[in-house]
Amino acid sequence: MRYETPSLTRWNARAYDSSFGYVSAQGVPLVELLDPQPGERVLDLGCGTGVLTAEIAKRGARVLGIDGSPAMIETAIAQYPGLDFTVGYGDDFTVAQPYDAVFSNAALHWMSRDPDAVISCVRMALRPGGRFVAELGGAGNCATLTSAMRTAWREHGLREPELPWYFPTPAEYAVRLEKGGFTVRILEYVDRPTPLDECPGGAADWVRMFAGSLLDGVPPALVEPLLRRVNELAAPALRRESGWVADYVRLRFAAVRR
């Protein structure tokens, strides 16, 4: 996807799969909702390293994975050489032939520059009656994490970070879909506290992975104290005896192109 901050495309694909593999694992039920059929043409928008693209392909669908991160696409091609992947942006992509479905897991909230343009591109990529099945962060997603970040930045005398995500309410996104030429069939809005099992550094590890670009403008000597303070602020709500938990809120939907 075309991210608000260009440096956000500098994903560490290996770390993403090893420490944040839950992003793909949590998307498996979304594949069930998509219910890809043999021979269907499916576009995986924001495919990352291709884990769910491959899962869709196992169901017999012909699938194309698109992502705005060249590093993610490079890893996806290496891991799944028999599948098709390309670099592309969610608010500015076209396809040669229409697809039966567009699928997206944990990616739409990164396409914050123009959500309506994303929906328009998806609609143009679908045949009439085609399905748009996706999950993204909803309103309140990572509220404790982002509050800790803002407070830590402020306490260290730094300008408040401009967070790169778009976390809509269910009503807001349903209106966008309806105005964009879709009929909403299913829309779910749920809390999903998610264990950060592979993050010994807690919230700090989460910040490094998902908001690393916000550290680019921080004086190097302040980075570690800043992240320690993020951990201190987030710990009362997010650190459990069993480990750290991310305060995720998810918005899942299935819509049909009119």
Side-chain angles (χ1 to χ4, degrees), residues 18-22 194-202 205 242-246:
S18 62
S19 296
F20 298 90
Y22 64 81
T194 302
L196 298 176
D197 293 332
E198 303 300 326
C199 299
D205 281 356
S242 58
W244 284 82
V245 174

Side-chain angles (χ1 to χ4, degrees), residues 11 15-29 49 51-52 105-106 109-110 135 141-142 145 192-199 202-203 205-207 209-210 244-250 252:
W11 285 99
Y16 183 85
D17 273 350
S18 62
S19 296
F20 298 90
Y22 64 81
V23 175
S24 295
Q26 295 281 5
V28 173
T49 57
V51 174
L52 293 179
N105 178 62
H109 52 252
W110 287 101
E135 184 175 296
N141 189 61
C142 301
L145 285 163
R192 187 192 292 158
T194 302
L196 298 176
D197 293 332
E198 303 300 326
C199 299
D205 281 356
W206 186 93
V207 172
M209 181 66 200
F210 292 110
W244 284 82
V245 174
D247 56 329
Y248 283 177
V249 179
R250 312 313 274 180
R252 175 183 295 184

Side-chain angles (χ1 to χ4, degrees), residues 156 204 208 215 218-230:
H156 283 79
R208 287 189 182 97
L215 298 172
V218 175
L222 280 184
V223 170
E224 291 306 317
L226 185 69
L227 292 176
R228 282 197 299 270
R229 184 57 178 151
V230 170

Side-chain angles (χ1 to χ4, degrees), residues 39-215:
E40 278 195 318
R41 289 168 46 81
V42 178
L43 189 148
D44 183 0
L45 183 59
C47 64
T49 57
V51 174
L52 293 179
T53 318
E55 185 65 28
I56 293 168
K58 286 180 184 178
R59 313 295 179 95
R62 294 175 290 167
V63 60
L64 169 67
I66 296 180
D67 200 281
S69 166
M72 289 290 194
I73 291 298
E74 182 179 349
T75 299
I77 291 171
Q79 291 184 152
Y80 306 105
L83 300 182
D84 294 325
F85 297 96
T86 188
V87 175
Y89 301 104
D91 61 0
D92 184 23
F93 75 92
T94 59
V95 295
Q97 295 181 328
Y99 281 76
D100 298 295
V102 172
F103 171 91
S104 184
N105 178 62
L108 294 177
H109 52 252
W110 287 101
M111 306 174 205
S112 56
R113 189 178 70 163
D114 191 347
D116 291 325
V118 175
I119 291 171
S120 177
C121 285
V122 170
R123 185 179 185 278
M124 294 299 294
L126 286 168
R127 62 168 176 79
R131 314 189 301 285
F132 184 17
V133 178
E135 184 175 296
L136 67 156
N141 189 61
C142 301
T144 300
L145 285 163
T146 55
S147 176
M149 290 171 60
R150 289 190 174 102
T151 300
W153 258 250
R154 186 170 60 250
E155 289 180 352
H156 283 79
L158 300 170
R159 181 179 178 180
E160 185 169 302
E162 294 185 16
L163 303 180
W165 310 292
Y166 166 60
F167 298 138
T169 66
E172 175 187 350
Y173 207 76
V175 168
R176 288 189 186 276
L177 287 168
E178 293 284 349
K179 286 185 175 180
F182 287 89
T183 299
V184 177
R185 299 296 193 194
I186 297 172
L187 194 149
E188 301 172 340
Y189 179 58
V190 296
D191 290 321
R192 187 192 292 158
T194 302
L196 298 176
D197 293 332
E198 303 300 326
C199 299
D205 281 356
W206 186 93
V207 172
R208 287 189 182 97
M209 181 66 200
F210 292 110
S213 69
L214 301 180
L215 298 172

